[in-house]
Amino acid sequence: MRRIELCHVSKRFGKVVAVDDLNLVVEPGDFLTLLGPSGCGKTTVLRMIAGLEEPDAGDILIDGKPVFSYREGIFVPPARRGLGLVFQSYALWPHMTVFQNVAFGLELSKQPRPQIEHRVSEILTDLQMTGMEQRYPQEMSGGQQQRVALARMLAPQPGIFLLDEPLSNLDARLRMDMRSELKRLHKDRGATTVYVTHDQLEALTMSTRIAVMREGRLQQVANPTQVYRYPANLFVADFIGNPKINLLDAVATWTTGGTCLKLDSFEIHGAPARASGPIVAAIRPEDIHLSLTPRPDGVEFTVYSVLPAGSEVVVNVRRGDLMLTIKETRAIAIDMDRPVWLTFDAKTINLYDKQTSALVPAA
């Protein structure tokens, strides 16, 4: 298992700043996902680690040794960094069979033929590709091509896996299957992994840590639970979660029992963060309880729309100008335009500073 460090790394493309003064450490054995919207710089970071892009500033170290240093003029080429890389497009050689594609890197290193054959057979067996050695990429499905790309990466036994949106070309069901395969592969191989995606579900289900990026800058690095439950700022809170989090303007007042939030024409008592004055309250849709009958502690809303989705129902409700989204996992029938009563678990509510957008810490 290997360690990756990026110290004050920046990259420009003309006048566009793709990565801005990035400091990031990928610990040995980590499955770190670079997550963010298109154009946030996540793929550029991965390509700089791989040596496919040269930074304009900073240092990149692998196991404490520089593979790039702007000040010292060091640039170690990709082939000497000990990395395995899988591209979004798979990048398989169309004129080569599965065997030839997987064996390509081993042949470049001039390994003995019997050793190459044994290694390729071993990898294809692990990835359930036995019997497909003589097929060409165009004769295979997208999922099978993805497995071949993974097999080619694994064949030289690299200590670092770099994966650039490898599942984005697959259908939804196959993506789910491949997430499971990749997570198992990471556990079995123990390789330090850097994974690029804009799909938050992939990041939340597969990662040991998530690095959220926006416009070339790092927003938060934490484990998936921390990123989901305690987003560091309003951008992360709004980006993570499906359906999206409810972000509500409120006025906070600190009391001995916690913070009281004044929202529209009702109040929520007991928020754990200590705040006063105008703030933004963030409430996950699953943290709002909906009742079809009146409750003494409930706030009356009117159902605006109902969106069934099999195992869950997304309900949008309105009270005056205030609109909330609720996620229900109970099998309940809800009609539009009917009254419902909501209750809130104040301890799950995060508060954000309106000026800085930063998370207000718990008292």
Side-chain angles (χ1 to χ4, degrees):
M1 293 187 290
R2 306 176 68 188
R3 190 173 195 263
I4 306 169
E5 299 172 72
L6 293 92
C7 307
H8 300 288
V9 171
S10 296
K11 179 65 180 178
R12 289 177 175 269
F13 294 100
K15 295 182 179 180
V16 176
V17 180
V19 178
D20 190 6
D21 195 30
L22 176 67
N23 291 285
L24 181 65
V25 175
V26 189
E27 298 291 351
D30 251 0
F31 191 121
L32 179 104
T33 296
L34 296 168
L35 175 67
S38 297
C40 72
K42 54 189 184 294
T43 292
T44 301
V45 172
L46 182 133
R47 289 176 63 84
M48 289 190 293
I49 295 171
L52 301 177
E53 298 285 355
E54 187 170 344
D56 297 321
D59 300 276
I60 300 175
L61 296 87
I62 295 179
D63 296 335
K65 299 178 181 178
V67 294
F68 171 82
S69 176
Y70 181 79
R71 291 173 300 171
E72 299 179 23
I74 296 172
F75 181 83
V76 176
R80 291 175 48 203
R81 297 191 182 191
L83 312 169
L85 181 61
V86 174
F87 297 95
Q88 179 179 355
S89 62
Y90 314 145
L92 300 176
W93 297 103
H95 63 289
M96 291 184 180
T97 63
V98 168
F99 181 94
Q100 291 169 329
N101 267 284
V102 178
F104 184 73
L106 302 175
E107 291 173 343
L108 285 179
S109 61
K110 303 188 184 301
Q111 295 189 22
R113 187 67 183 180
Q115 188 173 326
I116 292 174
E117 292 177 353
H118 175 76
R119 180 63 182 158
V120 172
S121 175
E122 181 181 55
I123 291 295
L124 292 179
T125 299
D126 288 346
L127 294 178
Q128 302 175 26
M129 297 287 290
T130 303
M132 299 185 181
E133 292 85 351
Q134 299 309 312
R135 290 193 189 182
Y136 289 89
Q138 59 268 29
E139 299 172 337
M140 311 179 79
S141 68
Q144 290 169 333
Q145 290 184 52
Q146 179 63 79
R147 289 173 187 266
V148 176
L150 288 170
R152 183 179 59 188
M153 177 189 73
L154 293 170
Q157 298 179 290
I160 295 173
F161 297 166
L162 303 178
L163 300 104
D164 185 10
E165 301 201 48
L167 309 184
S168 60
N169 293 330
L170 305 180
D171 61 53
R173 182 172 180 177
L174 192 52
R175 278 202 306 271
M176 179 63 75
D177 292 341
M178 289 305 299
R179 284 179 202 139
S180 177
E181 293 285 349
L182 286 172
K183 194 163 186 177
R184 186 72 216 182
L185 184 64
H186 172 257
K187 184 180 188 306
D188 291 344
R189 306 287 170 170
T192 302
T193 301
V194 180
Y195 188 97
V196 166
T197 186
H198 62 271
D199 187 327
Q200 55 175 289
L201 186 58
E202 286 184 10
L204 291 169
T205 54
M206 296 170 63
S207 315
T208 57
R209 290 194 304 150
I210 299 172
V212 184
M213 296 187 67
R214 179 192 188 191
E215 296 177 352
R217 286 186 168 272
L218 198 60
Q219 303 295 304
Q220 183 174 9
V221 183
N223 65 53
T225 300
Q226 189 78 11
V227 169
Y228 186 80
R229 277 296 163 193
Y230 304 102
N233 56 43
L234 285 172
F235 170 79
V236 179
D238 192 45
F239 187 76
I240 299 288
N242 185 28
K244 293 176 68 173
I245 198 167
N246 297 288
L247 297 176
L248 312 172
D249 288 331
V251 177
T253 305
W254 172 253
T255 68
T256 54
T259 296
C260 172
L261 303 175
K262 175 73 172 178
L263 300 101
D264 191 52
S265 58
F266 65 96
E267 295 180 348
I268 301 174
H269 295 269
R274 183 167 188 161
S276 60
I279 52 91
V280 177
I283 310 174
R284 291 284 179 201
E286 65 269 24
D287 292 331
I288 303 174
H289 181 78
L290 181 150
S291 174
L292 300 180
T293 56
R295 293 184 48 155
D297 58 343
V299 182
E300 185 176 347
F301 279 73
T302 300
V303 176
Y304 181 78
S305 65
V306 182
L307 306 171
S311 62
E312 65 187 40
V313 180
V314 176
V315 185
N316 293 305
V317 298
R318 171 178 279 175
R319 179 184 173 95
D321 293 331
L322 180 62
M323 184 84 79
L324 294 178
T325 300
I326 303 161
K327 183 165 73 173
E328 274 288 346
T329 56
R330 296 174 296 165
I332 57 176
I334 307 175
D335 296 323
M336 289 190 285
D337 297 323
R338 66 153 294 164
V340 291
W341 287 263
L342 307 185
T343 53
F344 304 86
D345 181 359
K347 291 181 171 53
T348 65
I349 299 175
N350 290 323
L351 305 182
Y352 292 87
D353 187 292
K354 290 197 75 169
Q355 292 186 328
T356 66
S357 85
L359 177 66
V360 179

